[in-house]
Amino acid sequence: MTTTTNHARRGDTSTEGSSLPPRPHLPLGDGADSLPAAPPSSRRTGVARPLGVGLVGLWLSVLVLLPLAALTVTSLGEGIGGFWHAVSAPVALASLRVTVLVAAIVAVVNAVMGTLIAWVLVRDDFPGKRIVNALIDLPFALPTIVASIVLLSLYGPNSPIHIHLNATQPGLLVALAFVTLPFVVRSVQPVLIEVDREVEEAAASLGASNWTTFRRVVLPTLAPAVISGTGLAFARAIGEYGSVVLIGGNIPRKTQVASQYIQQQIEIDRPLNAAAVSVVLLAIAFVTLFVLRLFAGRSLRREEDAQ
Amino acid sequence: MSRHTRLALAAAATVGALVMTACGGGGASDTVGGDAQNAGAKTGTINLYAYAVPKVGYDKVIPAFNKTEAGKGVQFQQSYGASGDQSRKVEAGATADFVNFSVEPDITRLVDAGLVAKDWNANQYKGIPFGSVVTIVVRKGNPKGIKDWDDLLKPGVEIVTPNPFSSGSAKWNLLAPYAAKSDGGKNPQAGLDYIEKLVTGHVKVQPKSGREATETFLQGTGDVLLSYENEALFAERSGDPVEHVTPPTTFKIENPTAVLTKSKNYAKAKAFNDFLFTPEAQKLWAQAGFRPVDPTVAKEFAADFPQPTKLWTIDDLGGWKTVDGTLFKKETGAIALIYDKATS
């Protein structure tokens, strides 16, 4: 049953060519017979298609493209020189550096811990598993400012456990790791559920160690999901504001992240600086997602070839 | 897909396009403001835009105003934030009936925009119902032994003061040592030298407002907080482990209020503004830690507000117009340049 739905989804993905994250993929056990033979688009001829494309185009323009274009125009209000001046101001650069560094660390931590959590949730049974499973989504449901307050009361100046992380980079790390927790878990989990365990057993019976089985059999299957989850976590982390606003301390050159720098520039009436740094942040996020899609696409293809 | 669905989609797309065109006219934000204003006129709501710290005062003054004949049933929609930021928001069209900023230039901005009458400061107190003095807040027990402006330049002393491009408090905080060191502006270079050492060597954070600076300090950042005396009193009274030292030579803070001429609720807003100057309200301000301007009330509370040896005023430096132009103007003002160099 899973096989069929999976293929139906994959058929859609391949015809439309863009959907995040890459769909889970079965490594073995499905022959060429079940691959979509005919393009499923024959029922979508006529007026509906241009109309649909037009509607999507309009919607994306209003919501995404036009605002981004307006932002870019604002950031170029004083020409390329003004843009460059705004972006290369030492404090602006420092805030971008802090942002990318912390977000990268958080993404890597998430890739490892998220996969581990997903693994435990799928493969192991323990009392309270369903509660833990539900808890994973809490950072999505919780307003991020609440996360900041929670962390501040735990790690702030009046810390009951005497750990003081406010206004430090570890404080930023903890805050961002908290809000990005679900990304990797939730993209790896469904793939892991659908993975055919017989392959692992076969590998084990052929004498592969646990580590080899994981590395050669399980990881390649999970890789696209891990990568896309990590990418989303990174992209979320570089733009995060609410969760760091209280615990971060907003100290220029040390813990001020780009979103806080942008906010500050607006408050002191320098909209151009704010727009310029926003554009850079946007570019970083876009490039990240783009590169990760390339990666995910490639590993998907490699896997398909392997079959 | 049925023909009806297609038609519906086509209709949706057309409507979408029309909506987009309508929004393109730039009317959206105006409409929102208009609605709020009408609502205000009906229910007698005064939209109050103020700088970050006087909330503690308005919490006392507003209930008292509601007890007067003119203030019966008047509701308040209050907004507090960094003085400059608040002023720019009102200038940009935020619905306000009554404003209270930290520094006069933030009101002048609204006068220039035609939102506040030119004679807003015509009353006997020049439109300033209360004020304060610049003070130095330190950790309990004053571990770094801070007593005067020179102590701030000791190695390793970290100072919290807000960003002067958004905060009014920050301007007062910098004017105090500037006036002290330049002998009231007679020797500007000496004043600027001090400010440069202070800002470049000791100021590490730039909170946006006086209130945010207090929060930052209370959360453990820095050794010294420069602030309003009223803010220091407020923190001490709420039991925070801090104390304040008012240096012998410091600066008189004057916080102006004004009523917006285009206010839909002008009469009520004007009545409220006038109420602030009555002895009753003056006493409430004094109880909240603000220095009253009414001489009788001031005498009554003299014990609470010790007089510094020398108190410079903005008039000693040539008035806000001169000070703002020469010291704080973006990209040309002397202090603005020092700040930009140190913080960008």
Side-chain angles (χ1 to χ4, degrees):
Chain A
M1 158 230 149
T2 41
T3 337
T4 16
T5 45
N6 207 22
H7 275 303
R9 279 200 221 135
R10 223 166 73 202
D12 275 355
T13 320
S14 56
T15 39
E16 286 166 18
S18 70
S19 114
L20 261 173
R23 299 313 330 170
H25 184 68
L26 294 189
L28 282 172
D30 50 352
D33 59 327
S34 60
L35 284 170
S41 58
S42 49
R43 60 197 146 82
R44 291 195 222 157
T45 45
V47 197
R49 172 173 273 189
L51 197 59
V53 171
L55 201 61
V56 168
L58 180 69
W59 188 246
L60 285 182
S61 303
V62 172
L63 281 186
V64 184
L65 297 178
L66 287 179
L68 292 189
L71 177 72
T72 314
V73 169
T74 312
S75 73
L76 292 172
E78 284 173 23
I80 299 284
F83 177 85
W84 186 244
H85 185 73
V87 170
S88 61
V91 172
L93 277 182
S95 77
L96 286 167
R97 199 160 44 227
V98 169
T99 308
V100 172
L101 179 77
V102 172
I105 296 175
V106 163
V108 171
V109 168
N110 259 311
V112 176
M113 289 313 293
T115 311
L116 188 69
I117 292 172
W119 183 273
V120 169
L121 284 177
V122 171
R123 292 292 173 90
D124 296 337
D125 266 318
F126 53 91
K129 180 170 151 178
R130 287 168 74 181
I131 297 175
V132 173
N133 201 2
L135 272 180
I136 300 293
D137 283 331
L138 199 62
F140 272 163
L142 206 66
T144 50
I145 187 81
V146 177
S148 212
I149 287 199
V150 168
L151 293 171
L152 192 65
S153 55
L154 190 58
Y155 301 119
N158 303 318
S159 166
I161 52 172
H162 302 290
I163 298 178
H164 302 284
L165 292 182
N166 66 314
T168 62
Q169 289 190 354
L172 291 180
L173 282 176
V174 172
L176 293 178
F178 178 84
V179 293
T180 56
L181 171 73
F183 284 101
V184 175
V185 180
R186 286 297 181 237
S187 56
V188 170
Q189 217 174 4
V191 186
L192 212 47
I193 288 173
E194 292 184 12
V195 158
D196 195 342
R197 294 184 69 169
E198 280 171 24
V199 193
E200 285 167 54
E201 282 156 19
S205 71
L206 290 172
S209 67
N210 277 346
W211 170 241
T212 313
T213 312
F214 179 76
R215 199 166 50 88
R216 303 288 297 271
V217 178
V218 181
L219 201 57
T221 321
L222 297 185
V226 173
I227 289 174
S228 86
T230 309
L232 288 176
F234 177 81
R236 170 68 189 268
I238 61 169
E240 186 50 33
Y241 181 76
S243 62
V244 297
V245 72
L246 295 178
I247 189 96
N250 202 3
I251 302 173
R253 293 190 174 92
K254 269 172 68 190
T255 64
Q256 187 179 56
V257 296
S259 58
Q260 288 175 315
Y261 180 81
I262 291 167
Q263 161 93 4
Q264 186 192 42
Q265 293 303 307
I266 291 289
E267 278 157 4
I268 63 172
D269 201 18
R270 313 266 162 95
L272 194 140
N273 291 2
V277 173
S278 303
V279 167
V280 174
L281 214 49
L282 200 67
I284 294 173
F286 183 75
V287 168
T288 312
L289 293 179
F290 189 73
V291 167
L292 286 169
R293 276 206 68 75
L294 283 186
F295 260 112
R298 209 166 62 189
S299 61
L300 199 68
R301 265 199 307 282
R302 207 164 43 213
E303 230 182 289
E304 258 162 16
D305 292 346
Q307 284 168 37
Chain B
M1 189 180 278
S2 76
R3 165 160 266 145
H4 286 294
T5 325
R6 268 180 228 160
L7 276 176
L9 276 178
T14 321
V15 169
L18 285 176
V19 167
M20 218 175 95
T21 334
C23 290
S29 59
D30 302 347
T31 329
V32 174
D35 283 352
Q37 270 172 354
N38 291 339
K42 262 180 232 141
T43 57
T45 300
I46 294 180
N47 293 287
L48 179 155
Y49 264 75
Y51 67 107
V53 306
K55 181 173 188 303
V56 47
Y58 284 110
D59 285 348
K60 289 173 187 280
V61 172
I62 288 175
F65 175 64
N66 283 143
K67 285 194 193 117
T68 66
E69 194 57 39
K72 235 175 225 128
V74 176
Q75 308 238 319
F76 283 81
Q77 196 68 253
Q78 305 168 54
S79 162
Y80 299 94
S83 189
D85 199 37
Q86 292 285 82
S87 165
R88 282 190 290 268
K89 277 183 196 154
V90 174
E91 184 196 22
T95 309
D97 302 302
F98 169 87
V99 291
N100 175 199
F101 296 130
S102 175
V103 292
E104 193 188 286
D106 289 335
I107 297 230
T108 312
R109 177 183 290 119
L110 301 185
V111 175
D112 293 342
L115 297 169
V116 166
K118 283 202 173 63
D119 64 349
W120 66 275
N121 55 358
N123 77 5
Q124 68 178 112
Y125 300 111
K126 296 186 178 164
I128 292 157
F130 56 84
S132 196
V133 298
V134 177
T135 192
I136 299 176
V137 184
V138 294
R139 307 263 169 220
K140 191 134 202 130
N142 200 353
K144 299 255 170 172
I146 310 281
K147 296 212 163 46
D148 204 351
W149 298 113
D150 285 332
D151 298 330
L152 299 184
L153 299 187
K154 282 188 200 162
V157 173
E158 201 176 296
I159 295 162
V160 177
T161 180
N163 190 318
F165 297 114
S166 58
S167 163
S169 165
K171 290 184 178 178
W172 296 117
N173 292 347
L174 295 175
L175 282 177
Y178 172 81
K181 294 290 156 192
S182 67
D183 192 20
K186 286 193 201 76
N187 183 2
Q189 199 49 49
L192 291 176
D193 287 347
Y194 179 92
I195 298 290
E196 176 145 33
K197 280 186 206 138
L198 186 84
V199 171
T200 314
H202 300 270
V203 178
K204 298 280 189 300
V205 288
Q206 289 115 36
K208 69 167 182 239
S209 70
R211 168 39 51 88
E212 206 178 276
T214 312
E215 291 303 323
T216 307
F217 184 67
L218 292 180
Q219 279 173 21
T221 302
D223 307 300
V224 170
L225 166 73
L226 298 183
S227 194
Y228 306 97
E229 179 190 47
N230 55 271
E231 186 71 350
L233 289 170
F234 174 65
E236 283 167 14
R237 284 172 190 174
S238 20
D240 292 309
V242 295
E243 57 189 61
H244 74 283
V245 187
T246 301
T249 305
T250 187
F251 209 85
K252 186 180 182 191
I253 294 174
E254 298 164 294
N255 308 116
T257 61
V259 175
L260 274 84
T261 44
K262 285 175 190 155
S263 161
K264 290 277 197 304
N265 216 351
Y266 184 82
K268 293 281 178 207
K270 178 83 170 47
F272 179 64
N273 196 21
D274 292 342
F275 175 73
L276 299 181
F277 294 90
T278 62
E280 188 192 352
Q282 288 286 302
K283 276 181 199 165
L284 294 173
W285 282 116
Q287 282 163 14
F290 297 80
R291 295 198 172 202
V293 291
D294 183 299
T296 336
V297 179
K299 213 169 273 167
E300 195 181 317
F301 285 86
D304 291 355
F305 302 111
Q307 205 57 31
T309 320
K310 173 70 196 165
L311 195 60
W312 292 105
T313 68
I314 195 70
D315 290 335
D316 295 331
L317 296 181
W320 266 114
K321 207 171 170 197
T322 316
V323 169
D324 224 32
T326 56
L327 297 181
F328 293 114
K329 192 159 185 256
K330 216 161 82 180
E331 276 152 27
T332 52
I335 292 182
L337 287 175
I338 291 173
Y339 226 87
D340 266 342
K341 211 173 106 198
T343 62
S344 68

